[in-house]
Amino acid sequence: MLIQTRTIVVQKGFADQVVERFTKESPMDSMEGLLDKTVMVNKRNKEDQEEVMVMIRWESVDAWKNWEKSDAHIQGHRENKGKPVPEFVISTTVNMYEVKSVKPGIGRS
């Protein structure tokens, strides 16, 4: 399993716009190998900032690579090339994690 996280720090009051962007329907949603996409807002944010984290889980590294080289993904980047990042975005950090172990909690069968 591969997990990609994207942490977006924005000016106070703009988290909902980021959440909306990542929860609306997209070509990724029908991509084979996509397990799920979770969008979270950090409740312990600074007074003048908000933090949104998007966690995307893929069955495998190969599933993620297939998305990266798909026509839909490449076209999306072409359409956004040269567009400025919204002024309310302070920073964006992307990380990739290869899952080595998952231990279900007692409440899951």
Side-chain angles (χ1 to χ4, degrees):
M1 181 186 315
L2 181 81
I3 296 177
Q4 178 185 46
T5 63
R6 182 179 301 268
T7 304
I8 304 115
V9 178
V10 297
Q11 295 171 7
K12 185 85 168 175
F14 289 93
D16 288 344
Q17 288 186 34
V18 177
V19 169
E20 183 180 326
R21 176 178 175 236
F22 284 97
T23 55
K24 69 181 180 183
E25 206 56 35
S26 80
M28 180 191 291
D29 297 335
S30 59
M31 195 69 190
E32 189 171 328
L34 175 69
L35 295 174
D36 56 38
K37 184 169 45 172
T38 303
V39 181
M40 304 165 276
V41 177
N42 185 348
K43 291 295 190 182
R44 295 183 176 202
N45 52 20
K46 298 179 181 178
E47 287 184 24
D48 59 343
Q49 297 177 354
E50 295 175 322
E51 181 183 275
V52 178
M53 178 182 277
V54 180
M55 180 177 69
I56 304 166
R57 296 187 325 141
W58 295 94
E59 285 180 354
S60 64
V61 172
D62 287 339
W64 169 75
K65 285 180 180 178
N66 287 338
W67 162 247
E68 288 288 306
K69 64 184 180 184
S70 72
D71 290 340
H73 183 254
I74 292 167
Q75 183 62 31
H77 279 278
R78 280 190 190 130
E79 290 171 2
N80 289 317
K81 188 176 183 177
K83 288 184 181 178
V85 174
E87 287 185 15
F88 59 81
V89 174
I90 296 168
S91 66
T92 301
T93 305
V94 177
N95 287 299
M96 305 291 281
Y97 302 92
E98 190 171 352
V99 177
K100 299 296 184 181
S101 173
V102 175
K103 184 176 181 182
I106 197 163
R108 293 201 50 158
S109 49

